Amino acid sequence: MPLDNQSDNRSSATQAKEIDVLVVGAGFAGLYLLHRLSKLGLAVRAFEAGGGVGGTWYWNRYPGARCDVESMQYSFGFSEELQQNWQWSELFSAQPEILSYANHVADRFDLRRFITLNARVNTAIFDEASARWRVHSSTGETVVACYVVMATGCLSTGRVPDFPGIETFEGRTFHTGEWPHEPVDFAGRRVAVIGTGSSAIQAIPVIAEQAAHVTVFQRTPNYSIPSRNGPMTCEYETEWKTEYAVRRETARHTRNGILYDLNDKSALDDTPEQRERTYAERWQKGGVRFMAAYNDLALNQASNDTAADFVRARIREIVKDWAVAELLCPKDYPIGTKRICVDTNFFAAFNRPNVGLVDVRNEAIQAITPAGVRQGGRDYAVDDIVFATGFDAMTGALTRVDICGRNGQILAAKWEAGPRTYLGLMTAGFPNLFMITGPGSPSVLSNMIVSIEQHVDWIADCLAEMRKRDLGCIEPTAEAEEAWVAHVNEVAHRTLYPKAASWYMGANIPGKPRVFLPYIGGVGAYRQKCDDVAANGYEGFVMAPAVTMAK
Ligand SMILES: Cc1cc2nc3c(=O)[nH]c(=O)nc-3n(C[C@H](O)[C@H](O)[C@H](O)COP(=O)(O)OP(=O)(O)OC[C@H]3O[C@@H](n4cnc5c(N)ncnc54)[C@H](O)[C@@H]3O)c2cc1C
């Protein structure tokens, strides 16, 4: 009898008793995995918790949601036909267009047949005797697979702080990362937005245009650069499409997978007047290229200060109310060490008469009451609360699944003091379990589609090689993992990044260990390392012959 004894007509593959690879998640990572692995002739399936494909772009439907890496770059490079045919309407596309793109990819490469939607994976248990994973989903279905790939996303586990009284609130509540599918009308309503990270920075100016009043509760001010978004011009698109192959390849070897004009000198090598001109030019062009104004902004505090001063001066210029401007100016961490934000009219929104700012750094939100938010002994009456409170980043989606490896070891327990991986791809004690953009890889510090493609290609090549050599089990050694964790830490501490209490450090989740989660050595250097590991016979991994499963 098939293990999948639930009749489910959503996927023709659901009758498989045992498959080669189970993919968890159908965002960009899951989609590309299904494409690459099915092309290898492997029997694949995917479980996706959401009701559609697209991951981040399926869930994050809040007003103003869009990418902050330009669409010509924040898109797949694996198919020349795809990248030539697809047309983006804006420089930085909005969520609905990116979601359409994900759906187009699913259809174009005929991937839906592998995907079961509305299926959350709850447990995955490794059976040592058969070297197979037994994976259980919320649909009640169990799948047996040789390999499991967690394509569960780095920013897919939303977090709402447990404010006292939250359940008593009588109005509507929203989390930016789990936004309703039907349009939300804020017209005439008093809205609280809690948080001022990337999502809030995008949402606040758009909500403010509709709502009667918006009260923004800010714990940590953020540096944000204007995006200068606009319609895609024919010339710009043609320029990119003519040189796509070369540009994509170049981006793969850069520091963060994004092509922009890095000014390869120290900020301290320029005079203050030259620096001002350089920053002003980049501010005018907009976007994350601001951080490439000099090559040492992430490394040297004095250099970093010059860029941070420039951005603070712009905030003070834009925001008319002196006290509000001061609150919006980040002052206690270097620019870029928390995710740099990219906005459209964020700071200017605070000049509107219907937008107010409340500082919750020194006096935290005391409670959510039936009528609104209580802070500093004052009650803010609101109709709606938008939680822009971020995610349990990088590890949340992995540790929330009950993953049980060798000797009954649970992944969440192994990672109690912080995640430990080899190359961010695998973790010792959990054979045949891969992660995409996992902790210890460049991941969220990069153009994530570049990093996703690199991980998927590496895993696909690895599985093809194992099949060729009749191998069926792969696992990193404890020593290789130890050395990689030490290297990830060592490189992070050569930079200014650990100075910020950021989600890169797990600082936004109470009780989460403070460990720098992504690998900061650069996308290009990291790719080279992964390629070298493979070329050296998968150095640091133990590979063993396949076990034939008893029928
Ligand atoms: C608002 C926002 C804007 C962003 N903008 C950019 C940008 O401009 N540039 C950039 O590089 N990156 C950006 N990112 C990061 C973005 O997450 C990645 O670029 C990319 O979309 C990640 O794709 P993924 O497939 O790895 O993960 P996701 O898109 O997060 O997909 C993971 C999927 O796995 C599913 N899943 C998780 N756990 C389970 C489970 N247990 N069982 C079944 N299914 C599960 C989830 O439902 C989800 O659909 C942004 C993120 C957010 C939140």
Side-chain angles (χ1 to χ4, degrees), residues 157-169 173-177 193-196 217-219 360 364-369 373 385-392 507-511:
T157 307
R159 171 183 184 259
V160 178
D162 50 356
F163 297 116
I166 198 163
E167 68 295 340
T168 67
F169 182 61
T173 58
F174 306 95
H175 189 285
T176 51
V193 177
I194 299 181
T196 47
F217 293 85
Q218 171 185 271
R219 187 173 59 185
V360 299
I365 290 174
Q366 289 161 268
I368 306 287
T369 66
V373 182
I385 301 178
V386 173
F387 292 103
T389 40
F391 302 92
D392 185 352
N508 63 328
I509 306 290

Side-chain angles (χ1 to χ4, degrees), residues 24-30 47-50 52 54-60 62 65-69 74 119-122 150-156 199 202 339 391 397 401 436-437 446-449 452:
V24 188
F28 285 135
F47 281 143
E48 164 55 57
T56 289
W57 306 103
Y58 171 84
W59 295 105
N60 290 261
Y62 59 84
R66 61 178 71 246
C67 53
D68 54 20
V69 172
Y74 186 68
R120 178 173 290 283
V121 167
N122 296 321
M150 300 299 285
T152 42
C154 295
L155 302 172
S156 60
S199 302
Q202 292 183 333
R339 187 180 166 92
F391 302 92
V401 179
I436 303 293
T437 62
S446 66
N447 174 351
M448 287 197 71
I449 300 193
I452 285 169

Side-chain angles (χ1 to χ4, degrees), residues 233-453:
T233 63
C234 200
E235 297 74 48
Y236 193 68
E237 184 183 350
T238 308
E239 177 198 314
W240 265 91
K241 288 191 170 175
T242 313
E243 292 188 30
Y244 238 151
V246 175
R247 289 189 180 190
R248 295 277 202 201
E249 185 51 23
T250 311
R252 289 178 189 124
H253 300 276
T254 58
R255 200 173 69 190
N256 53 15
I258 308 172
L259 270 192
Y260 44 41
D261 36 342
L262 172 69
N263 187 12
D264 201 8
K265 65 182 204 192
S266 164
L268 305 182
D269 288 343
D270 268 353
T271 63
E273 295 72 28
Q274 284 167 331
R275 271 199 304 266
E276 191 70 10
R277 272 199 302 279
T278 299
Y279 289 137
E281 256 171 44
R282 289 186 182 247
W283 180 268
Q284 198 43 48
K285 281 190 183 166
V288 290
R289 65 166 63 79
F290 184 84
M291 289 309 294
Y294 294 102
N295 66 9
D296 61 347
L297 296 184
L299 302 172
N300 181 324
Q301 184 67 60
S303 297
N304 188 286
D305 287 344
T306 65
D309 284 344
F310 178 90
V311 173
R312 281 188 288 263
R314 299 291 75 70
I315 297 172
R316 291 180 180 120
E317 222 167 56
I318 298 168
V319 180
K320 297 207 175 84
D321 182 310
W322 176 85
V324 174
E326 284 313 301
L327 276 182
L328 288 168
C329 280
K331 291 177 187 136
D332 59 358
Y333 63 93
I335 184 169
T337 55
K338 283 163 73 80
R339 187 180 166 92
I340 189 88
C341 301
V342 171
D343 70 276
T344 302
N345 299 329
F346 171 65
F347 294 115
F350 291 89
N351 293 332
R352 297 175 64 104
N354 70 334
V355 176
L357 182 64
V358 178
D359 177 24
V360 299
R361 163 156 290 189
N362 298 319
E363 279 193 82
I365 290 174
Q366 289 161 268
I368 306 287
T369 66
V373 182
R374 181 169 301 152
Q375 187 270 353
R378 189 177 154 185
D379 282 314
Y380 295 85
V382 294
D383 305 306
D384 300 322
I385 301 178
V386 173
F387 292 103
T389 40
F391 302 92
D392 185 352
M394 297 200 73
T395 53
L398 295 164
T399 53
R400 139 178 182 170
V401 179
D402 218 350
I403 300 178
C404 183
R406 270 189 211 288
N407 305 318
Q409 182 172 217
I410 303 292
L411 184 70
K414 176 179 171 182
W415 285 5
E416 214 164 34
R420 304 178 62 77
T421 71
Y422 181 40
L423 301 171
L425 279 163
M426 297 190 88
T427 184
F430 297 80
N432 292 1
L433 180 87
F434 292 94
M435 290 163 266
I436 303 293
T437 62
S441 73
S443 186
V444 289
L445 293 176
S446 66
N447 174 351
M448 287 197 71
I449 300 193
V450 169
S451 290
I452 285 169
E453 287 186 330

